Amino acid sequence: MTNPEENPDTHVCVDGGLPGPWSEHAGRAPVEIITARAVPLGGPRAMNVRRTLPQRQRSLIGAWCFIDHYGPDEVSATGGMDVAPHPHTGLQTLSWLFEGTVSHIDSGGNSAHVLPGEMNLMTAGAGICHSETSTPDTSRLHGLQLWIALPEEVRDRPGREFEHFVPEPVGFDGGSALVFLGSLLGAEAPVSMHTPLVGAEIRLDPGAVLDLQVDPGFEHGLLVDTGEALTLEGVHVPKDAVGYTGVENRTLRIANDGDGPARTVLVGGAPFTEEVLMWWNFLGRSTEEIEQYREEWQNHGERFGRVEGYVGHGGPGKNREGMDRIPAPELPPVRMRPRKNPPPHARFQD
Ligand code: MN
């Protein structure tokens, strides 16, 4: 996924962040509600994505730094997804679908079909580029793209890696989970991580209550995809929002008080203590670095390599607008300043 904004904000991503609207429920952890903002994916009839991270309120949950949620999208009405080759640095992209198929091609020589229930993880390291296109047989598209910030020691590695993993469902009383990253409910995903993380799709039947054991060193976010009456620690998390809980919780109670099935995605991790600068599709550590990445992309630099075989919705090598690659937006004139890291808690007000 590319960030399609014409004038993307620069986010200084830090753990913690300003305390957002949160709720307290007797005897349970406070929960901060992060609501999504709509971002059009480009084109006149474009599909919208719902972005819950990053926001001013909170920019990181562990090393998770970006949550885009989309669909269910009728491809006949919106045209689906057609993201021409675009670059990334310093991050991993994790694709998770509920419906549809996306064709992925990257400059590491990887070509894959992203299918529902199958985790696909691309590691950008020092630089990669890729295209993402919903396939012609896709009538509905519904899923997530998540980004993970890479820590200092691996973020400049030249390797362009791509991993694929299909988790087996793990059952519990009243539901099931697909653990696609890290460990949860006794399942472990054999996928490389550079900081401690967890990621899982969790489904709950009507009336189900799950007391989920979690790592107390992790902070967590629970995205609600389906379900109008889903609660986290007794606090209602609206559909399409993320309920955030800070560190120091050993269990999280997730309950479906609705009449229909609920589907959620849990992301969590150890607080990421490095300060990260995110602009457009780049993660870096300084304004100068981001400027350098942008210039190299605009000049077809070797850092990013080339996508071979992109077939967009405009034909071979072309998206609907006739572009063979996505140019970087203009950089903002403002220089970024470091920001203090507040603690990773959904905090009570003083
Ligand atoms: Mn992308």
Side-chain angles (χ1 to χ4, degrees), residues 273-286:
T273 51
E274 294 173 41
E275 201 171 273
V276 176
L277 221 50
M278 181 192 294
W279 178 80
W280 192 45
N281 297 320
F282 301 136
L283 254 63
R285 297 295 186 275
S286 68

Side-chain angles (χ1 to χ4, degrees), residues 246-259:
V247 293
E248 294 167 18
N249 298 303
R250 292 183 183 280
T251 59
L252 293 175
R253 177 168 292 179
I254 305 171
N256 178 10
D257 298 330
D259 298 330

Side-chain angles (χ1 to χ4, degrees), residues 28 35 49 83 88 90 102 136 146 149 178 192 201 206 211 225 237 244 254 339:
R28 308 226 60 110
T35 52
V49 296
V83 186
H88 291 290
V102 170
L146 307 162
L178 296 168
S192 63
E201 176 180 322
D211 281 321
D225 172 74
V237 183
Y244 168 83
I254 305 171
R339 209 164 78 178

Side-chain angles (χ1 to χ4, degrees), residues 1-2 83 86-88 93 122 130 132 145 147 281:
M1 197 78 87
T2 185
V83 186
H86 60 277
H88 291 290
T93 67
M122 180 182 81
H130 70 150
E132 295 159 288
Q145 177 147 121
W147 295 356
N281 297 320

Side-chain angles (χ1 to χ4, degrees), residues 217-302:
F218 282 15
E219 49 184 342
H220 292 92
L222 186 74
L223 174 86
V224 177
D225 172 74
T226 312
E228 301 294 339
L230 197 288
T231 63
L232 172 63
E233 292 290 285
V235 176
H236 176 233
V237 183
K239 184 173 146 47
D240 302 333
V242 167
Y244 168 83
T245 57
V247 293
E248 294 167 18
N249 298 303
R250 292 183 183 280
T251 59
L252 293 175
R253 177 168 292 179
I254 305 171
N256 178 10
D257 298 330
D259 298 330
R263 176 165 52 199
T264 67
V265 172
L266 179 80
V267 296
F272 191 80
T273 51
E274 294 173 41
E275 201 171 273
V276 176
L277 221 50
M278 181 192 294
W279 178 80
W280 192 45
N281 297 320
F282 301 136
L283 254 63
R285 297 295 186 275
S286 68
T287 307
E288 291 72 22
E289 232 175 43
I290 299 282
E291 286 169 351
Q292 178 72 24
Y293 297 153
R294 184 188 180 279
E295 190 173 311
E296 290 184 38
W297 173 248
Q298 295 303 83
N299 294 319
H300 300 250
E302 283 308 308

Side-chain angles (χ1 to χ4, degrees), residues 68-313:
D68 262 5
H69 179 209
Y70 52 89
D73 192 73
E74 296 296 335
V75 171
S76 60
T78 64
M81 183 185 292
D82 182 14
V83 186
H86 60 277
H88 291 290
T89 58
L91 57 80
Q92 295 174 295
T93 67
L94 191 154
S95 301
W96 185 255
L97 287 182
F98 305 123
E99 270 186 284
T101 307
V102 170
S103 165
H104 162 104
I105 307 175
D106 70 42
S107 58
N110 303 296
S111 176
H113 274 170
V114 180
L115 296 167
E118 302 192 2
M119 194 253 14
N120 288 274
L121 182 72
M122 180 182 81
T123 302
I128 199 166
C129 62
H130 70 150
S131 61
E132 295 159 288
T133 315
S134 51
T135 56
D137 61 346
T138 295
S139 55
R140 294 226 299 180
L141 199 57
H142 188 184
L144 289 170
Q145 177 147 121
L146 307 162
W147 295 356
I148 299 164
L150 290 171
E152 185 62 35
E153 59 270 25
V154 296
R155 71 183 185 98
D156 270 332
R157 277 191 198 165
R160 297 168 183 152
E161 293 153 27
F162 190 79
E163 288 172 77
H164 171 252
F165 170 60
V166 184
E168 287 290 326
V170 192
F172 55 85
D173 191 16
S176 65
L178 296 168
V179 181
F180 54 76
L181 199 64
S183 301
L184 197 73
L185 290 160
E188 186 168 355
V191 178
S192 63
M193 296 187 290
H194 301 287
T195 55
L197 291 167
V198 68
E201 176 180 322
I202 301 174
R203 299 180 191 213
L204 292 102
D205 299 334
V209 179
L210 170 65
D211 281 321
L212 184 65
Q213 289 193 4
V214 294
D215 187 327
F218 282 15
E219 49 184 342
H220 292 92
L222 186 74
L223 174 86
V224 177
D225 172 74
T226 312
E228 301 294 339
L230 197 288
T231 63
L232 172 63
E233 292 290 285
V235 176
H236 176 233
V237 183
K239 184 173 146 47
D240 302 333
V242 167
Y244 168 83
T245 57
V247 293
E248 294 167 18
N249 298 303
R250 292 183 183 280
T251 59
L252 293 175
R253 177 168 292 179
I254 305 171
N256 178 10
D257 298 330
D259 298 330
R263 176 165 52 199
T264 67
V265 172
L266 179 80
V267 296
F272 191 80
T273 51
E274 294 173 41
E275 201 171 273
V276 176
L277 221 50
M278 181 192 294
W279 178 80
W280 192 45
N281 297 320
F282 301 136
L283 254 63
R285 297 295 186 275
S286 68
T287 307
E288 291 72 22
E289 232 175 43
I290 299 282
E291 286 169 351
Q292 178 72 24
Y293 297 153
R294 184 188 180 279
E295 190 173 311
E296 290 184 38
W297 173 248
Q298 295 303 83
N299 294 319
H300 300 250
E302 283 308 308
R303 172 186 294 276
F304 300 106
R306 293 183 70 82
V307 170
E308 304 288 349
Y310 164 61
V311 178
H313 294 172

